[in-house]
Amino acid sequence: MTNSGKSDYRFDVKDCYLGAQMLFVAFGALVLVPILTGLNPNVALFTAGVGTLIFQVVTKGKVPIFLASSFAFIAPISIGVQQWGIAGTMSGLVAAGFFYILLSFLIRWQGSAVIEKVLPPVVTGPVIMVIGLILSPVAVNMATGVANPAAIIPKNIALIVSMAALGTTILVSLLGRGMMKLIPILCGIVVGYIVALFYGLVDFTPVREAAWLAMPEFTFPKWNTEAIFFIIPVAIAPAIEHFGDILAIGGITGKDYLEDPGVENTMLGDGLATSFASLLGGPPNTTYSEVTGAVALTGVRNAGVMTWAALTAILLAFVGKLGALLSTIPTPVMGGIMLLLFGAIMVVGLNSLVRSGEDLLEARNLTIVALILVFGIGGMSFSAGQFTLQGIGLAGVLGVILNLVLPRCRCHVGEDH
């Protein structure tokens, strides 16, 4: 038994290599979000590093986990950047971080059961499914070379490149061994990039022109009420995923992190990290399951290793040529990986529904799930002045409201007591 209330945190110089290895595992997914959404990869590296350090301070170094770019926000960031620019979108992402912070105080006040009551799987499952499904056309357009109308790539070439990236990602995730199994996205990017080189799709001009050392191009938020109301509901799904991630790392280390340091503190750390990232133009942070897998593989229990991962990310953020190199990755390479990734997000939501054991044909459950999916994917929107609710945000708000107002089936009355 580990001494309750005490941290196993140790910061040793000899662990710097392990820390760099943890960052390597997270690197592909970390830079994927900014590349897809038009944000700066160097800023994402910096905010992931600092965000992880913030999380460690709040949780007193008790949880060996790394925080970085959240996939759940790819769609709202992409839409937001087109409508309000990066600065306006960041105001919404800062608000999403504050939503996490408010949830942490609600849990501190009422206990974690209140989240399960307001956000059960019958709500969060289909909302997560909407995130994946609403993005699927984007992935197809990227994979087939028509995502950028100003630079359309011949479909046959785009498909060769995207399928090379997709096939590699699938094979590594299925057949990879050891650390290799934890970096399928990175492997897919590398192979797709090499194939793209043969077709002349890579322009190294940005790399030649970039400085070796450069300050990340931070973007500060600009208040935008419409962006705030659009993005906050999206935070519902990753907030629930946070519980699963904390349970997963606890299962690997044999500790109950929901009790110590407490989910109210891990959620607070996540919220502060997300708000900090958004204040500088970085994507929202979330706990990384890839790194959790690496912890299981390496047997690392010391959160000090994650401090080294964070410091490595911060240092790499100042390498100008790294960000420039990442910007040269052709769209079909990312599209091939997105075909799998966005489908996987949908399956995560479906899995949470299946694992909940709910009867989805029971009238109440059927109504909630059906309306979340159709309203979220079908393009339904509600407007009042400058305020517009649609897509993922509408799906999240609708699910919460339906869950709270629809009466439960009488056949369950008495079973709760």
Side-chain angles (χ1 to χ4, degrees):
M1 289 288 289
T2 305
N3 291 334
S4 178
K6 292 187 179 180
S7 170
D8 293 330
Y9 182 92
R10 299 181 311 280
F11 185 66
D12 296 330
V13 174
K14 63 181 177 63
D15 288 333
C16 63
Y17 169 75
L18 265 178
Q21 193 175 39
M22 293 296 176
L23 178 62
F24 178 72
V25 168
F27 189 83
L30 193 167
V31 300
L32 195 61
V33 176
I35 291 171
L36 289 173
T37 56
L39 303 184
N40 188 293
N42 291 70
V43 173
L45 280 164
F46 182 84
T47 55
V50 177
T52 299
L53 296 180
I54 291 172
F55 180 86
Q56 289 192 328
V57 170
V58 174
T59 59
K60 300 179 181 177
K62 293 182 178 180
V63 189
I65 209 162
F66 185 81
L67 273 65
S69 313
S70 172
F71 288 167
F73 288 90
I74 291 175
I77 295 174
S78 300
I79 296 169
V81 169
Q82 292 176 6
Q83 293 189 7
W84 310 297
I86 294 177
T89 303
M90 286 303 125
S91 67
L93 297 177
V94 171
F98 276 104
F99 174 76
Y100 292 155
I101 294 169
L102 289 175
L103 275 182
S104 75
F105 284 107
L106 179 61
I107 295 168
R108 201 179 300 273
W109 176 40
Q110 291 287 327
S112 59
V114 69
I115 302 299
E116 177 66 23
K117 181 179 179 180
V118 178
L119 299 171
V122 74
V123 172
T124 57
V127 169
I128 296 171
M129 291 171 69
V130 168
I131 293 174
L133 291 171
I134 208 169
L135 286 166
S136 56
V138 176
V140 172
N141 288 340
M142 292 174 66
T144 54
V146 297
N148 183 3
I152 293 178
I153 299 169
K155 185 175 181 179
N156 59 332
I157 294 176
L159 282 173
I160 291 172
V161 173
S162 61
M163 292 304 108
L166 173 62
T168 301
T169 305
I170 293 172
L171 288 174
V172 172
S173 64
L174 293 176
L175 306 177
R177 293 290 181 267
M179 194 63 69
M180 182 67 71
K181 190 177 181 65
L182 300 173
I183 54 170
I185 291 176
L186 192 57
C187 292
I189 291 174
V190 170
V191 172
Y193 194 89
I194 292 171
V195 174
L197 282 172
F198 282 103
Y199 287 98
L201 300 183
V202 181
D203 179 12
F204 287 108
T205 303
V207 181
R208 287 193 295 268
E209 294 178 348
W212 276 104
L213 296 177
M215 182 69 69
E217 297 178 4
F218 298 122
T219 301
F220 303 108
K222 181 180 180 181
W223 181 271
N224 189 303
T225 305
E226 194 174 349
I228 291 171
F229 281 108
F230 174 72
I231 291 177
I232 282 182
V234 179
I236 291 173
I240 296 301
E241 285 186 275
H242 175 91
F243 283 81
D245 291 337
I246 298 301
L247 282 170
I249 189 67
I252 290 168
T253 61
K255 297 181 180 180
D256 187 355
Y257 295 123
L258 296 182
E259 289 295 325
D260 183 24
V263 70
E264 66 275 13
N265 289 316
T266 62
M267 183 72 77
L268 176 61
D270 203 338
L272 291 172
T274 289
S275 290
F276 172 83
S278 306
L279 286 171
L280 296 180
N285 283 320
T286 188
T287 47
Y288 258 29
S289 54
E290 293 94 333
V291 176
T292 300
V295 169
L297 185 66
T298 61
V300 169
R301 302 290 185 270
N302 174 23
V305 170
M306 301 306 168
T307 303
W308 279 114
L311 294 175
T312 306
I314 293 170
L315 290 175
L316 288 178
F318 292 90
V319 180
K321 286 193 182 294
L322 175 60
L325 179 63
L326 293 172
S327 71
T328 66
I329 300 175
T331 301
V333 175
M334 310 310 295
I337 294 167
M338 290 301 97
L339 292 171
L340 177 63
L341 182 62
F342 294 159
I345 292 173
M346 188 278 294
V347 173
V348 167
L350 180 62
N351 187 53
S352 69
L353 273 178
V354 172
R355 292 182 63 182
S356 70
E358 295 280 357
D359 179 5
L360 297 183
L361 293 181
E362 189 267 312
R364 183 178 186 275
N365 293 335
L366 186 147
T367 300
I368 294 173
V369 174
L371 292 181
I372 287 175
L373 291 174
V374 174
F375 275 52
I377 300 167
M380 181 68 76
S381 66
F382 295 97
S383 300
Q386 289 189 335
F387 171 65
T388 299
L389 196 59
Q390 60 186 354
I392 303 167
L394 174 59
V397 171
L398 178 67
V400 171
I401 293 174
L402 290 176
N403 178 61
L404 293 176
V405 302
L406 291 182
R408 297 186 180 275
C409 177
R410 289 183 178 180
C411 59
H412 295 300
V413 174
E415 291 180 15
D416 295 328
H417 301 284

